[in-house]
Amino acid sequence: MSQPALPISQIAQLLDVPEDALRALMAERRSAGDATLVALTVAEAARRIGIGRTKLYEYVSSGEIASVKIGSLRRIPAEAVGEFLARRFRASDFDAAA
């Protein structure tokens, strides 16, 4: 038998943290997405990179970021996001920006 969940206010009190800070942390964790996913939608991958879906579709079309079709769905392997960013980082010229 499972026990009923404690109210947020009680948990905050037990942790000795402000209730609003605990609620903010919980909301942040909820919106962060599922880190265990191995394949992301274009929207999820774009959100992780911090760009729009349209721009990510351009990168997919040009082959700059790997993607796969699963039935009619387009998915971006989670590791492809990191690889894409690493390639872009190596390709950038920081001396020219100064």
Side-chain angles (χ1 to χ4, degrees):
M1 247 191 200
S2 65
Q3 293 185 359
L6 290 173
I8 298 295
S9 58
Q10 219 174 351
I11 295 170
Q13 186 179 22
L14 290 169
L15 294 173
D16 194 28
V17 297
E19 183 178 343
D20 57 338
L22 181 58
R23 286 186 187 280
L25 177 63
M26 290 172 64
E28 180 183 317
R29 295 293 297 177
R30 243 181 267 124
S31 67
D34 186 351
T36 63
L37 291 176
V38 295
L40 308 169
T41 65
V42 171
E44 290 167 336
R47 196 172 324 113
R48 283 193 182 186
I49 297 172
I51 61 175
R53 285 182 330 123
T54 304
K55 189 65 177 175
L56 188 60
Y57 272 115
E58 288 177 25
Y59 292 136
V60 166
S61 296
S62 69
E64 287 189 59
I65 190 163
S67 70
V68 296
K69 286 277 281 192
I70 303 172
S72 63
L73 305 173
R74 173 73 55 190
R75 293 294 182 257
I76 311 293
E79 65 271 5
V81 173
E83 292 166 1
F84 169 77
L85 291 174
R87 279 193 311 278
R88 300 289 289 196
F89 180 72
R90 286 192 302 271
S92 65
D93 183 6
F94 289 105
D95 293 333

